[in-house]
Amino acid sequence: MIIYKTIEGLKNSLYKAKTQGKKIGFVPTMGALHTGHLSLLEISKKENDLTLCSIFINPSQFNNQDDFIKYPITTENDILLLEKISTDILFLPSLEEMNTLKSHASFNLDGMDQILEGLHRPGHFQGVCEIVEKLLRIIHPDFLYLGEKDFQQCLVLKKLITILQLDTKIKICPILRSPSGLALSSRNQRLSETGLLHAANIFKVLSNIKTQLTTGNWQTLKETSIKNLLNNGFEKVDYLEMCDTDSLQILDEAPEKREVVILIAAFIEGVRLIDNIKTTANILTN
Ligand code: PAF
C-alpha cells in the first residue's frame, strides 16, 4: 500500500493510473476502521483496478466539540488493517493540507440537511459535503463506496454529486452488524461492556418494528419503542422516525406496499449511535 499525505503526490499517482485506463474505487473514512469499513474496501477491490481509502477526521462536520475531541484515533492499527486486505492507496492528509483547498460556503441540499441528523447536528451535512467535495475533486473516483448505516449521508452525498455534476457513481453497501445485532461503528469503541450489551437493543427495537409494522400502528409502535430503549440503557432518543426511502420525508403512518426506512439516533453512555432498517408495512389479515 502506498500512503500519500499530500494532495500533489496523490494526484500525480492517480493521473498515471487514469491514463492507463484504471478504474478507481474510493472509500472515504475518518479512521478507527472496523469490519464495516473493510467490507466497503473489499467490495471496491472486486469492482475496480485500484482501491483508495482516505482517513481524515473532518472538524467541520462535528457540531459537538466533545464528540470531535473524543473521536477515536487508531491510525497505526488502521494502516495495518488496510495493508492486510491489500488496499492500494491510503490518503492521509493533515488538516493544513486539506485547508489549502477552498470549498463552497454552502450547498443547497433541498432541506435534506435540516431534518433528522441535520436537525440534531446543525451544520453536520454541510461539513460532510465540504470535505467530500474536496476529496472527490482530488480523486475523481469512478465509484464512491458508502455504508447504509449512514442512510441520510448516502442521500445527501447523492445530491451533492448531482449538484457538482460529477461522473462518480455511488455504491451503497449493506450495514455490517456484530453477532448481537449492533451496527458496526467507530463510536462503539467508546462503550463499556455493559454499554455494548445494552446498545444491541437498538437493533432489537428496529427488528421488532419490522415484524410489527402495519398501515395503522406506527405512532403506538414508535412510542413503545422509545420507552423500551429508555428502560434498557439508553439515556436519550434524539429521534425515531419512519421516512420515505428516497426523499426522507417523515411519514405519520406506513403507506401500503411501499418500502419505508425507520431511522433512529440515541445516546448510550454519552455516545450517540445511529441505525436504520428498511421495511414494508405488513398486510393485516382477519
Ligand atoms: O462517514 C464518514 O465517516 C464521514 O462522514 C465521511 C464520509 C468520511 C466524511 O468525512
Side-chain angles (χ1 to χ4, degrees):
M1 181 173 75
I2 309 178
I3 303 178
Y4 291 100
K5 293 192 171 179
T6 66
I7 295 168
E8 194 62 22
L10 177 65
K11 270 188 163 174
N12 287 340
S13 147
L14 291 178
Y15 179 76
K16 266 189 223 140
K18 277 183 191 150
T19 50
Q20 291 165 358
K22 289 194 174 159
K23 230 189 319 160
I24 299 169
F26 173 43
V27 180
T29 80
M30 297 201 297
L33 301 182
H34 51 70
T35 321
H37 295 116
L38 301 184
S39 76
L40 303 183
L41 288 156
E42 294 283 14
I43 297 172
S44 169
K45 270 160 50 82
K46 284 202 190 96
E47 299 180 350
N48 297 281
D49 303 306
L50 207 103
T51 289
L52 193 153
C53 175
S54 67
I55 297 182
F56 179 70
I57 304 183
N58 170 34
S60 76
Q61 72 185 75
F62 285 85
N63 56 305
N64 177 330
Q65 190 63 10
D66 192 48
D67 192 26
F68 176 57
I69 292 166
K70 289 186 179 153
Y71 201 83
I73 302 176
T74 58
T75 315
E76 265 177 45
N77 190 51
D78 292 346
I79 292 174
L80 289 178
L81 289 174
L82 291 172
E83 269 173 346
K84 209 164 156 190
I85 62 156
S86 312
T87 304
D88 299 297
I89 296 178
L90 167 62
F91 182 43
L92 188 62
S94 64
L95 180 60
E96 293 71 39
E97 184 69 6
M98 289 313 281
N99 280 348
T100 58
L101 297 181
K102 290 222 164 25
S103 152
H104 278 94
S106 83
F107 300 86
N108 179 359
L109 300 165
D110 293 333
M112 182 83 83
D113 55 333
Q114 305 295 324
I115 53 170
L116 304 164
E117 283 301 282
L119 190 66
H120 292 273
R121 303 184 65 190
H124 168 65
F125 286 121
Q126 291 294 332
V128 170
C129 286
E130 182 191 318
I131 194 64
V132 174
E133 177 189 12
K134 287 183 182 179
L135 292 167
L136 292 179
R137 290 204 189 278
I138 298 168
I139 299 161
H140 292 287
D142 295 278
F143 296 102
L144 171 67
Y145 293 83
L146 300 170
E148 199 165 35
K149 183 173 79 68
D150 299 304
F151 194 92
Q152 191 172 1
Q153 172 169 276
C154 293
L155 293 183
V156 163
L157 292 180
K158 260 191 193 168
K159 238 181 223 309
L160 176 75
I161 285 183
T162 310
I163 295 170
L164 300 175
Q165 298 182 312
L166 298 176
D167 291 333
T168 301
K169 296 202 173 41
I170 289 192
K171 296 259 185 163
I172 298 174
C173 307
I175 302 176
L176 251 69
R177 299 183 180 280
S178 68
S180 71
L182 176 64
L184 298 188
S185 162
S186 304
R187 288 185 173 84
N188 294 350
Q189 294 186 16
R190 290 174 47 201
L191 295 174
S192 71
E193 258 178 53
T194 321
L196 280 170
L197 281 178
H198 279 140
N201 285 316
I202 218 166
F203 182 61
K204 283 201 190 114
V205 158
L206 289 177
S207 304
N208 181 56
I209 292 172
K210 192 175 164 97
T211 51
Q212 301 288 323
L213 185 68
T214 65
T215 50
N217 68 354
W218 169 240
Q219 296 304 330
T220 322
L221 261 182
K222 177 173 162 175
E223 222 172 277
T224 49
S225 303
I226 292 175
K227 273 192 198 141
N228 186 334
L229 288 172
L230 295 176
N231 288 334
N232 287 287
F234 282 83
E235 294 110 53
K236 187 178 163 207
V237 177
D238 262 356
Y239 61 81
L240 171 60
E241 297 290 0
M242 176 172 60
C243 297
D244 181 271
T245 51
D246 297 322
S247 67
L248 223 56
Q249 185 199 342
I250 295 173
L251 305 169
D252 290 335
E253 281 305 342
E256 266 180 45
K257 296 183 194 158
R258 207 175 78 222
E259 199 177 42
V260 292
V261 57
I262 315 290
L263 299 123
I264 185 163
F267 283 89
I268 184 158
E269 296 183 340
V271 179
R272 189 171 182 279
L273 301 180
I274 60 169
D275 201 351
N276 68 79
I277 203 164
K278 283 192 281 187
T279 187
T280 309
N282 295 291
I283 298 164
L284 290 173
T285 47
N286 294 323

mmCIF file of all heavy atoms in Angstrom, residues 82-102:
data_model
loop_
_atom_site.group_PDB
_atom_site.id
_atom_site.type_symbol
_atom_site.label_atom_id
_atom_site.label_comp_id
_atom_site.label_asym_id
_atom_site.label_seq_id
_atom_site.Cartn_x
_atom_site.Cartn_y
_atom_site.Cartn_z
ATOM 1 N N LEU A 82 -5.515 -1.976 6.713
ATOM 2 C CA LEU A 82 -5.592 -1.662 5.279
ATOM 3 C C LEU A 82 -4.565 -2.470 4.497
ATOM 4 O O LEU A 82 -4.825 -2.921 3.382
ATOM 5 C CB LEU A 82 -5.368 -0.157 5.049
ATOM 6 C CG LEU A 82 -6.486 0.750 5.556
ATOM 7 C CD1 LEU A 82 -6.076 2.214 5.470
ATOM 8 C CD2 LEU A 82 -7.762 0.527 4.754
ATOM 9 N N GLU A 83 -3.385 -2.645 5.109
ATOM 10 C CA GLU A 83 -2.335 -3.421 4.429
ATOM 11 C C GLU A 83 -2.738 -4.890 4.330
ATOM 12 O O GLU A 83 -2.504 -5.536 3.325
ATOM 13 C CB GLU A 83 -1.000 -3.265 5.163
ATOM 14 C CG GLU A 83 -0.251 -2.089 4.576
ATOM 15 C CD GLU A 83 0.998 -1.704 5.312
ATOM 16 O OE1 GLU A 83 1.198 -2.176 6.458
ATOM 17 O OE2 GLU A 83 1.765 -0.915 4.747
ATOM 18 N N LYS A 84 -3.360 -5.363 5.401
ATOM 19 C CA LYS A 84 -3.758 -6.776 5.461
ATOM 20 C C LYS A 84 -4.718 -7.133 4.324
ATOM 21 O O LYS A 84 -4.668 -8.229 3.781
ATOM 22 C CB LYS A 84 -4.441 -7.020 6.812
ATOM 23 C CG LYS A 84 -4.291 -8.423 7.315
ATOM 24 C CD LYS A 84 -4.626 -8.451 8.780
ATOM 25 C CE LYS A 84 -5.059 -9.803 9.247
ATOM 26 N NZ LYS A 84 -5.585 -9.745 10.599
ATOM 27 N N ILE A 85 -5.609 -6.198 3.981
ATOM 28 C CA ILE A 85 -6.560 -6.525 2.899
ATOM 29 C C ILE A 85 -6.076 -5.976 1.553
ATOM 30 O O ILE A 85 -6.841 -5.869 0.599
ATOM 31 C CB ILE A 85 -7.994 -6.040 3.215
ATOM 32 C CG1 ILE A 85 -8.048 -4.514 3.354
ATOM 33 C CG2 ILE A 85 -8.561 -6.710 4.441
ATOM 34 C CD1 ILE A 85 -9.441 -3.971 3.073
ATOM 35 N N SER A 86 -4.796 -5.598 1.509
ATOM 36 C CA SER A 86 -4.156 -5.126 0.260
ATOM 37 C C SER A 86 -4.863 -3.940 -0.394
ATOM 38 O O SER A 86 -5.135 -3.950 -1.595
ATOM 39 C CB SER A 86 -4.046 -6.254 -0.768
ATOM 40 O OG SER A 86 -3.532 -7.403 -0.199
ATOM 41 N N THR A 87 -5.168 -2.943 0.407
ATOM 42 C CA THR A 87 -5.672 -1.684 -0.149
ATOM 43 C C THR A 87 -4.529 -1.088 -0.970
ATOM 44 O O THR A 87 -3.366 -1.180 -0.580
ATOM 45 C CB THR A 87 -6.046 -0.735 1.013
ATOM 46 O OG1 THR A 87 -6.978 -1.419 1.845
ATOM 47 C CG2 THR A 87 -6.653 0.566 0.521
ATOM 48 N N ASP A 88 -4.846 -0.480 -2.123
ATOM 49 C CA ASP A 88 -3.768 0.032 -2.977
ATOM 50 C C ASP A 88 -3.179 1.336 -2.439
ATOM 51 O O ASP A 88 -1.972 1.501 -2.367
ATOM 52 C CB ASP A 88 -4.291 0.265 -4.403
ATOM 53 C CG ASP A 88 -4.782 -1.040 -5.009
ATOM 54 O OD1 ASP A 88 -3.948 -1.935 -5.179
ATOM 55 O OD2 ASP A 88 -5.998 -1.170 -5.264
ATOM 56 N N ILE A 89 -4.085 2.264 -2.086
ATOM 57 C CA ILE A 89 -3.612 3.597 -1.696
ATOM 58 C C ILE A 89 -4.342 4.071 -0.443
ATOM 59 O O ILE A 89 -5.567 3.901 -0.320
ATOM 60 C CB ILE A 89 -3.855 4.626 -2.833
ATOM 61 C CG1 ILE A 89 -3.024 4.263 -4.067
ATOM 62 C CG2 ILE A 89 -3.548 6.049 -2.378
ATOM 63 C CD1 ILE A 89 -3.215 5.184 -5.252
ATOM 64 N N LEU A 90 -3.592 4.681 0.481
ATOM 65 C CA LEU A 90 -4.208 5.392 1.607
ATOM 66 C C LEU A 90 -3.865 6.863 1.465
ATOM 67 O O LEU A 90 -2.692 7.234 1.330
ATOM 68 C CB LEU A 90 -3.659 4.859 2.943
ATOM 69 C CG LEU A 90 -3.992 5.723 4.170
ATOM 70 C CD1 LEU A 90 -5.505 5.807 4.400
ATOM 71 C CD2 LEU A 90 -3.312 5.171 5.433
ATOM 72 N N PHE A 91 -4.891 7.702 1.492
ATOM 73 C CA PHE A 91 -4.684 9.150 1.507
ATOM 74 C C PHE A 91 -4.870 9.598 2.945
ATOM 75 O O PHE A 91 -5.943 9.402 3.524
ATOM 76 C CB PHE A 91 -5.687 9.824 0.562
ATOM 77 C CG PHE A 91 -5.515 11.316 0.464
ATOM 78 C CD1 PHE A 91 -4.250 11.891 0.357
ATOM 79 C CD2 PHE A 91 -6.632 12.156 0.450
ATOM 80 C CE1 PHE A 91 -4.086 13.275 0.253
ATOM 81 C CE2 PHE A 91 -6.482 13.538 0.345
ATOM 82 C CZ PHE A 91 -5.214 14.095 0.253
ATOM 83 N N LEU A 92 -3.819 10.151 3.523
ATOM 84 C CA LEU A 92 -3.807 10.502 4.946
ATOM 85 C C LEU A 92 -3.346 11.958 5.103
ATOM 86 O O LEU A 92 -2.239 12.235 5.578
ATOM 87 C CB LEU A 92 -2.829 9.538 5.642
ATOM 88 C CG LEU A 92 -2.729 9.511 7.160
ATOM 89 C CD1 LEU A 92 -4.030 9.104 7.798
ATOM 90 C CD2 LEU A 92 -1.619 8.539 7.587
ATOM 91 N N PRO A 93 -4.190 12.894 4.688
ATOM 92 C CA PRO A 93 -3.738 14.292 4.704
ATOM 93 C C PRO A 93 -3.864 14.924 6.087
ATOM 94 O O PRO A 93 -4.644 14.454 6.923
ATOM 95 C CB PRO A 93 -4.712 14.966 3.740
ATOM 96 C CG PRO A 93 -5.977 14.172 3.896
ATOM 97 C CD PRO A 93 -5.581 12.761 4.213
ATOM 98 N N SER A 94 -3.108 15.985 6.309
ATOM 99 C CA SER A 94 -3.254 16.749 7.556
ATOM 100 C C SER A 94 -4.363 17.784 7.347
ATOM 101 O O SER A 94 -4.799 18.030 6.210
ATOM 102 C CB SER A 94 -1.950 17.480 7.866
ATOM 103 O OG SER A 94 -1.701 18.418 6.837
ATOM 104 N N LEU A 95 -4.761 18.408 8.449
ATOM 105 C CA LEU A 95 -5.778 19.466 8.371
ATOM 106 C C LEU A 95 -5.262 20.629 7.514
ATOM 107 O O LEU A 95 -5.988 21.164 6.671
ATOM 108 C CB LEU A 95 -6.106 19.944 9.797
ATOM 109 C CG LEU A 95 -7.146 21.047 9.944
ATOM 110 C CD1 LEU A 95 -8.481 20.607 9.364
ATOM 111 C CD2 LEU A 95 -7.331 21.420 11.415
ATOM 112 N N GLU A 96 -3.982 20.975 7.708
ATOM 113 C CA GLU A 96 -3.375 22.085 6.946
ATOM 114 C C GLU A 96 -3.438 21.777 5.449
ATOM 115 O O GLU A 96 -3.754 22.645 4.638
ATOM 116 C CB GLU A 96 -1.899 22.305 7.347
ATOM 117 C CG GLU A 96 -1.673 22.799 8.764
ATOM 118 C CD GLU A 96 -1.970 21.734 9.818
ATOM 119 O OE1 GLU A 96 -1.638 20.541 9.593
ATOM 120 O OE2 GLU A 96 -2.564 22.079 10.869
ATOM 121 N N GLU A 97 -3.134 20.523 5.119
ATOM 122 C CA GLU A 97 -3.124 20.127 3.696
ATOM 123 C C GLU A 97 -4.531 20.296 3.095
ATOM 124 O O GLU A 97 -4.684 20.869 2.023
ATOM 125 C CB GLU A 97 -2.656 18.667 3.588
ATOM 126 C CG GLU A 97 -2.500 18.144 2.183
ATOM 127 C CD GLU A 97 -1.343 18.764 1.401
ATOM 128 O OE1 GLU A 97 -0.569 19.538 1.987
ATOM 129 O OE2 GLU A 97 -1.235 18.493 0.181
ATOM 130 N N MET A 98 -5.552 19.810 3.813
ATOM 131 C CA MET A 98 -6.915 19.908 3.267
ATOM 132 C C MET A 98 -7.385 21.356 3.244
ATOM 133 O O MET A 98 -8.181 21.738 2.382
ATOM 134 C CB MET A 98 -7.895 19.042 4.080
ATOM 135 C CG MET A 98 -7.704 17.554 3.895
ATOM 136 S SD MET A 98 -7.526 17.023 2.178
ATOM 137 C CE MET A 98 -9.209 17.008 1.598
ATOM 138 N N ASN A 99 -6.885 22.161 4.193
ATOM 139 C CA ASN A 99 -7.299 23.566 4.230
ATOM 140 C C ASN A 99 -6.714 24.393 3.086
ATOM 141 O O ASN A 99 -7.113 25.539 2.885
ATOM 142 C CB ASN A 99 -6.910 24.203 5.565
ATOM 143 C CG ASN A 99 -7.901 23.834 6.661
ATOM 144 O OD1 ASN A 99 -8.976 23.297 6.373
ATOM 145 N ND2 ASN A 99 -7.547 24.099 7.914
ATOM 146 N N THR A 100 -5.750 23.817 2.345
ATOM 147 C CA THR A 100 -5.209 24.570 1.202
ATOM 148 C C THR A 100 -6.248 24.640 0.078
ATOM 149 O O THR A 100 -6.138 25.456 -0.816
ATOM 150 C CB THR A 100 -3.909 23.916 0.636
ATOM 151 O OG1 THR A 100 -4.223 22.577 0.246
ATOM 152 C CG2 THR A 100 -2.789 23.914 1.663
ATOM 153 N N LEU A 101 -7.252 23.756 0.147
ATOM 154 C CA LEU A 101 -8.301 23.784 -0.884
ATOM 155 C C LEU A 101 -9.489 24.601 -0.402
ATOM 156 O O LEU A 101 -9.891 24.500 0.756
ATOM 157 C CB LEU A 101 -8.778 22.366 -1.205
ATOM 158 C CG LEU A 101 -7.762 21.400 -1.800
ATOM 159 C CD1 LEU A 101 -8.427 20.062 -2.075
ATOM 160 C CD2 LEU A 101 -7.158 21.966 -3.079
ATOM 161 N N LYS A 102 -10.055 25.382 -1.308
ATOM 162 C CA LYS A 102 -11.246 26.165 -0.958
ATOM 163 C C LYS A 102 -12.487 25.298 -1.193
ATOM 164 O O LYS A 102 -12.429 24.324 -1.932
ATOM 165 C CB LYS A 102 -11.326 27.394 -1.872
ATOM 166 C CG LYS A 102 -10.270 28.423 -1.597
ATOM 167 C CD LYS A 102 -10.846 29.828 -1.639
ATOM 168 C CE LYS A 102 -9.957 30.861 -1.000
ATOM 169 N NZ LYS A 102 -8.522 30.554 -0.961
#
